[in-house]
Amino acid sequence: MPHWAPVNLPAAFLLHSITPGVSNMIAKLAKTCTLRISPDKLNFILSDKVANGGVSMWCELEQENFFSEFQMEGVSAENNEIYLELTSENLSRALKTAQNARALKIKLTNKHFPCLTVSIELVSIYLPVLKTMKSIVEKMKNISNHLIIEANLNGELNLKIETELVCVTTHFKDLGNPPSASEDASQDRNPEQMAEVRIDIRRLLQFLAGQQVNPTKAVCNIVSNKIVHFYLLHEDVSLQYFIPAFS
């Protein structure tokens, strides 16, 4: 995608909302453009040679309106900017695949040459009855300190522990997936493919033990090998609980 950029300049962005129309518009206006990254703004810039009848473009995005997390570091405190030339259509195609994602992360990486890496992997699934889940996890805790949670877009969820001596897996089927996740199944994603995360089993049990009533809505979101996110809704009270992957 990119042609050039300053090296050794880290940048990572976690989007909480994105409008595909912005990237589509830029792709239609400019085949290639320069992305300017600063602490508070992103600019897409096109500057052709005016002498040859060229046009100019300046598109500005306030980072606080698009990103829930934003980290960048320029050449120095005085020149705290990053410039990256990229093919607009490639960026537009990458962001289109994330229209239904609840989390999208963009990183500036150096894989033989500087490039933007778009990470969109997410699985969302309804949870089984929490009391049943708690009973299973309590038994698994006696065998291992770590638990693997697997889920896919076919409504299947697995709780698995693996040790040198034993491997135990509990399967749940037909749990269903939230509408936004189900729509993803029709977009170049194998609905049977599992996303998984390995977590501290004690943290999961602590979460399950704290639930005194069965919620009206219980959803599990998995970002493979990164984090598991639980969302519970009971009447007018909602609870979100995050467990990071065990490293």
Side-chain angles (χ1 to χ4, degrees):
M1 183 188 302
H3 298 291
W4 65 269
V7 295
N8 299 324
L9 299 178
F13 326 114
L14 182 62
L15 281 70
H16 58 67
S17 65
I18 187 159
T19 306
V22 174
S23 57
N24 290 341
M25 176 186 65
I26 294 170
K28 291 178 180 179
L29 292 175
K31 184 176 181 180
T32 61
C33 66
T34 300
L35 172 62
R36 172 183 175 267
I37 304 170
S38 64
D40 58 346
K41 296 177 182 178
L42 266 70
N43 297 108
F44 293 91
I45 307 165
L46 171 65
S47 182
D48 287 341
K49 294 181 179 179
V50 178
N52 296 332
V55 298
S56 297
M57 176 190 72
W58 181 276
C59 179
E60 185 171 280
L61 304 178
E62 296 282 349
Q63 65 90 355
E64 63 181 9
N65 295 331
F66 288 86
F67 303 93
S68 57
E69 294 180 21
F70 189 94
Q71 300 174 6
M72 63 84 61
E73 182 181 344
V75 178
S76 64
E78 295 77 18
N79 299 297
N80 196 16
E81 297 178 340
I82 297 174
Y83 288 84
L84 180 73
E85 188 174 271
L86 52 83
T87 302
S88 306
E89 187 176 0
N90 290 347
L91 178 61
S92 177
R93 287 177 178 175
L95 295 182
K96 278 182 181 179
T97 64
Q99 291 186 45
N100 296 313
R102 298 186 181 181
L104 168 63
K105 193 169 187 178
I106 301 178
K107 289 183 179 181
L108 178 58
T109 58
N110 194 352
K111 299 179 179 179
H112 305 297
F113 50 81
C115 65
L116 287 178
T117 299
V118 180
S119 177
I120 315 170
E121 189 169 11
L122 175 70
V123 169
S124 183
I125 190 170
Y126 291 118
L127 287 170
V129 176
L130 296 186
K131 289 184 179 179
T132 302
M133 192 171 172
K134 176 189 172 186
S135 176
I136 293 169
V137 174
E138 282 180 335
K139 294 181 175 64
M140 288 182 163
K141 183 176 69 70
N142 298 324
I143 304 174
S144 174
N145 293 327
H146 306 114
L147 172 80
I148 296 173
I149 300 180
E150 296 179 328
N152 63 19
L153 294 174
N154 263 353
E156 299 172 337
L157 182 143
N158 301 327
L159 303 178
K160 181 166 61 176
I161 55 173
E162 295 177 339
T163 69
E164 294 181 355
L165 300 177
V166 65
C167 177
V168 178
T169 304
T170 299
H171 303 275
F172 294 94
K173 296 184 177 181
D174 301 321
L175 294 176
N177 302 90
S180 59
S182 299
E183 291 170 4
D184 284 346
S186 62
Q187 299 182 4
D188 301 327
R189 175 182 283 181
N190 182 356
E192 296 183 358
Q193 181 180 354
M194 288 286 183
E196 69 171 47
V197 62
R198 184 169 178 258
I199 61 174
D200 186 329
I201 196 170
R202 293 169 299 178
R203 293 190 177 187
L204 177 59
L205 191 58
Q206 181 181 25
F207 163 70
L208 294 172
Q211 309 313 311
Q212 302 301 316
V213 294
N214 207 44
T216 55
K217 182 178 181 181
V219 175
C220 170
N221 298 305
I222 298 174
V223 180
S224 281
N225 304 314
K226 297 292 184 181
I227 199 168
V228 59
H229 164 230
F230 296 100
Y231 173 75
L232 305 183
L233 179 65
H234 179 71
E235 296 181 351
D236 296 328
V237 179
S238 65
L239 171 67
Q240 297 190 57
Y241 193 81
F242 300 82
I243 305 178
F246 186 85
S247 57

